[in-house]
Amino acid sequence: MSRIVLRDLTKQFGELAVVDPLSLDIEAGQFVSIIGPSGCGKTTLVRVIAGLEPATGGEVEVDGAAPIEARTHKRVAMVPQQPGLLPWRTVRANARLLLDVNRSTNPVDAVAPETLLDEVGLGAFLDVFPHELSGGMQQRVALVRALALHAPLLVMDEPFAALDEITRAEMRVMLNRLVEGKGVTVLFVTHSITEAVALSDRVLVSSPRPTRLIADIAIDLDRPRSAEVEDDPRFVELCAEVRHALHRGMNA
Amino acid sequence: MNKRLLAPVVGILVFLGAWEVLVRAGHVRPFVLRAPSRIVRYLTQHPSGYASAAWVTIQHASIGTLIALLVALLFGSAMAASEFFEHAAQPVLTLLQVTPFVAYIASVVLWIGSGTKPALFIVALVCMPAFTFATVDGMRSADPATRELLASVDAARWEVLWRLRLPSALPSLFTTARYNVGLALIAAYLVEGGNFADEGLGSIGRRAASLNQGDALWSAIFAMALLGTISLVLLSLLQRVAMRWHVSQRRQLR
Ligand SMILES: Nc1ncnc2c1ncn2[C@@H]1O[C@H](COP(=O)(O)OP(=O)(O)O)[C@@H](O)[C@H]1O
Ligand SMILES: [Mg+2]
């Protein structure tokens, strides 16, 4: 549903090179993680792909068009690192936020946010204000807010980084359940190896700044995936492979 | 009666009691300070005059404040959006804020005429700068993560303003409103004393002062205090409804 192509993409902030010439082809419907050390340029890269930041050089295509095109047609749904919920909106209204703005381009076949909220276990909290929710619950609202847009591309920037380990494990399982079989393309930024392997079809390992691809690892674990996938010997192997690639990048 | 209502009532009764005792014990000459019991008696003997005057003053203060708020939202939005405009407007607003408006009331009356117009004009003028600064500060405090999120779906400028920036300014606007209530009432009172309209508590106060009518003067002062208190209570109620979601409205630990 949403193929992403990068051709010799570069990004600089003044003198600072954040993305070195990078070429990449992401198949529609794939779950792709980008893992790399802090400050290497992951956020910048996904902001360029989401049309929030212009590229310095090279080309970016989302569905065969410029990212800005995808953005103006609400074909990119973002989940930021901080939930960014509006404190004066209830859970229900927060989940609707992205549908409420720029309405003319809303999808016709969107699933009602209430249904999704119910699916992530927030059915009893529809009329509650964000400050009454735990961090994990707030991030689930942020996830529903993005999914409710029914966009072909989902961009998630370290969405679980601020959560505790137990909550993160739950969120991995929940996210898999929500996107599996929906045909949505997911670009997922993380610096957790477990998270990348458990969720992805493909893991891209980046070097420290400027972003260069150290490894491109296919994750051949079966779907649908449950929590048990993390006990699979193949899972452990793949985690080791990602870890080694990260080390290679750090020492390069 | 619940505790939240009881405490302020006790506070006011103690204050009035102390005032009464102080006056009766003869430490203060009656013209300098009337006892509250005497003021209340005078007010109840002349209810309609004070009620209609108070109504005029309320209108001057509240409509003036609303005009100030509207202008401030307009200026504030422009200042939050444009650095040049902000730097151009800031010194002018500060100038307005620090100039004693009492000094130019007569000039304004000469300029735009007597009656309601100068009252609304001056109330709006003195309340506007603080509201403008509050708007700018509040809009600046809008969560950058949410701003980016709205940008990711190409929200129009007015949508960001309406859905994010203006609500973000509510807390600072309410704080400023509490301070502006007093300012607006004082401005209305003083203009009414000099706008040749013979309307409003300010006009009663001015006449009573020049004719040495202590009862009438102190009743006007008392009525002003009452108006201020009622306005603040109404403002608190409004704030509780409009900002249910805000930290300041939650029960605090002590
Ligand atoms: N708007 C910007 N202007 C200047 N430098 C920036 C900007 N955004 C990010 N950077 C710099 O780019 C580098 C990569 O940042 P970022 O993409 O946030 O990394 P990551 O998400 O991998 O931690 C950092 O050194 C950061 O300081
Ligand atoms: Mg980042």
Side-chain angles (χ1 to χ4, degrees):
Chain A
M1 278 176 94
S2 197
R3 190 177 138 201
I4 302 167
V5 181
L6 310 184
R7 284 187 213 98
D8 296 323
L9 170 75
T10 56
K11 177 66 191 175
Q12 275 170 291
F13 289 112
E15 292 292 289
L16 186 77
V18 179
V19 182
D20 251 8
L22 181 67
S23 295
L24 199 60
D25 192 326
I26 291 175
E27 225 178 284
Q30 276 212 319
F31 196 121
V32 177
S33 286
I34 302 170
I35 188 166
S38 232
C40 75
K42 306 180 293 295
T43 297
T44 306
L45 177 63
V46 296
R47 291 187 71 235
V48 169
I49 293 173
L52 289 167
E53 186 81 61
T56 308
E59 280 176 53
V60 186
E61 269 179 24
V62 177
D63 282 336
I68 189 83
E69 178 88 359
R71 177 163 80 101
T72 48
H73 289 94
K74 293 169 84 169
R75 289 209 302 266
V76 184
M78 301 262 290
V79 182
Q81 180 166 349
Q82 297 303 324
L85 301 179
L86 294 176
W88 51 86
R89 281 186 168 232
T90 59
V91 165
R92 185 204 303 270
N94 262 296
R96 285 202 58 83
L97 179 68
L98 297 183
L99 290 171
D100 283 348
V101 297
N102 192 4
R103 278 165 192 272
S104 56
T105 48
N106 270 357
V108 279
D109 52 351
V111 189
E114 286 83 358
T115 315
L116 288 166
L117 284 169
D118 209 32
E119 258 181 72
V120 302
L122 291 173
F125 297 89
L126 295 183
D127 298 310
V128 152
F129 287 103
H131 71 81
E132 298 169 68
L133 303 178
S134 70
M137 291 158 99
Q138 293 190 10
Q139 200 51 274
R140 274 185 270 167
V141 178
L143 188 59
V144 168
R145 183 181 58 195
L147 290 172
L149 208 52
H150 219 61
L153 176 59
L154 192 58
V155 173
M156 309 177 77
D157 190 2
E158 303 194 35
F160 307 148
L163 306 178
D164 62 272
E165 188 47 44
I166 297 169
T167 311
R168 291 170 73 140
E170 283 172 10
M171 298 292 275
R172 290 201 283 275
V173 176
M174 196 193 69
L175 182 56
N176 264 333
R177 200 182 47 191
L178 286 169
V179 298
E180 271 170 354
K182 300 272 161 59
V184 54
T185 309
V186 187
L187 210 53
F188 189 92
V189 172
T190 181
H191 46 219
S192 155
I193 296 171
T194 322
E195 214 162 82
V197 175
L199 289 167
S200 313
D201 301 308
R202 183 179 173 193
V203 175
L204 306 173
V205 183
S206 161
S207 65
R209 200 186 64 231
T211 289
R212 266 180 306 108
L213 275 196
I214 295 295
D216 183 344
I217 301 168
I219 306 297
D220 49 5
L221 297 164
D222 289 341
R223 287 193 186 272
R225 290 179 197 165
S226 61
E228 281 69 49
V229 74
E230 294 176 25
D231 305 327
D232 192 322
R234 182 67 189 139
F235 179 89
V236 180
E237 258 171 55
L238 286 164
C239 284
E241 198 175 324
V242 174
R243 193 169 56 248
H244 295 153
L246 272 171
H247 280 195
R248 273 205 311 282
M250 298 298 270
N251 302 326
Chain B
M1 204 189 308
N2 71 20
K3 257 191 199 160
R4 290 183 82 132
L5 225 61
L6 189 67
V9 170
V10 167
I12 287 176
L13 286 180
V14 167
F15 172 72
L16 290 178
W19 175 356
E20 185 84 31
V21 168
L22 193 73
V23 175
R24 291 207 178 193
H27 294 302
V28 190
R29 295 204 322 279
F31 185 77
V32 176
L33 184 61
R34 291 285 202 270
S37 57
R38 189 162 159 187
I39 296 172
V40 170
R41 192 170 348 113
Y42 186 83
L43 270 174
T44 49
Q45 281 162 357
H46 305 80
S48 65
Y50 280 92
S52 58
W55 176 234
V56 170
T57 304
I58 289 173
Q59 284 176 306
H60 286 160
S62 58
I63 297 174
T65 305
L66 281 182
I67 295 171
L69 183 62
L70 287 179
V71 175
L73 289 177
L74 222 67
F75 279 2
S77 309
M79 285 167 75
S82 148
E83 203 167 330
F84 181 84
F85 191 74
E86 184 186 7
H87 290 158
Q90 214 156 30
V92 180
L93 292 172
T94 308
L95 211 69
L96 274 179
Q97 210 170 17
V98 298
T99 310
F101 65 91
V102 189
Y104 55 75
I105 289 177
S107 308
V108 171
V109 173
L110 280 178
W111 174 40
I112 52 178
S114 59
T116 303
K117 272 187 282 178
L120 295 183
F121 180 83
I122 287 184
V123 170
L125 194 69
V126 299
C127 291
M128 189 267 291
F131 271 144
T132 307
F133 291 134
T135 308
V136 176
D137 283 352
M139 287 186 168
R140 288 267 158 78
S141 74
D143 183 3
T146 318
R147 240 164 42 213
E148 170 113 340
L149 191 74
L150 291 177
S152 79
V153 286
D154 207 39
R157 247 167 190 257
W158 69 265
E159 283 188 299
V160 178
L161 190 72
W162 177 246
R163 296 192 191 279
L164 177 64
R165 288 183 179 274
L166 279 180
S168 300
L170 267 187
S172 55
L173 282 175
F174 267 109
T175 308
T176 305
R178 298 193 76 79
Y179 153 85
N180 269 352
V181 162
L183 191 60
L185 283 168
I186 291 168
Y189 183 90
L190 289 175
V191 178
E192 284 160 5
N195 65 350
F196 308 109
D198 209 13
E199 275 185 332
L201 290 170
S203 160
I204 296 182
R206 171 77 168 253
R207 200 168 354 102
S210 60
L211 298 175
N212 271 356
Q213 296 168 336
D215 283 331
L217 173 63
W218 276 99
S219 295
I221 296 171
F222 203 80
M224 284 299 292
L226 207 62
L227 283 192
T229 312
I230 292 170
S231 308
L232 284 175
V233 170
L234 290 178
L235 190 65
S236 296
L237 291 176
L238 183 65
Q239 186 172 15
R240 204 170 299 165
V241 176
M243 286 181 23
R244 271 177 304 159
W245 49 272
H246 195 254
V247 209
S248 65
Q249 303 304 307
R250 294 177 217 160
R251 286 200 163 278
Q252 306 276 315
L253 294 176
R254 287 180 197 265

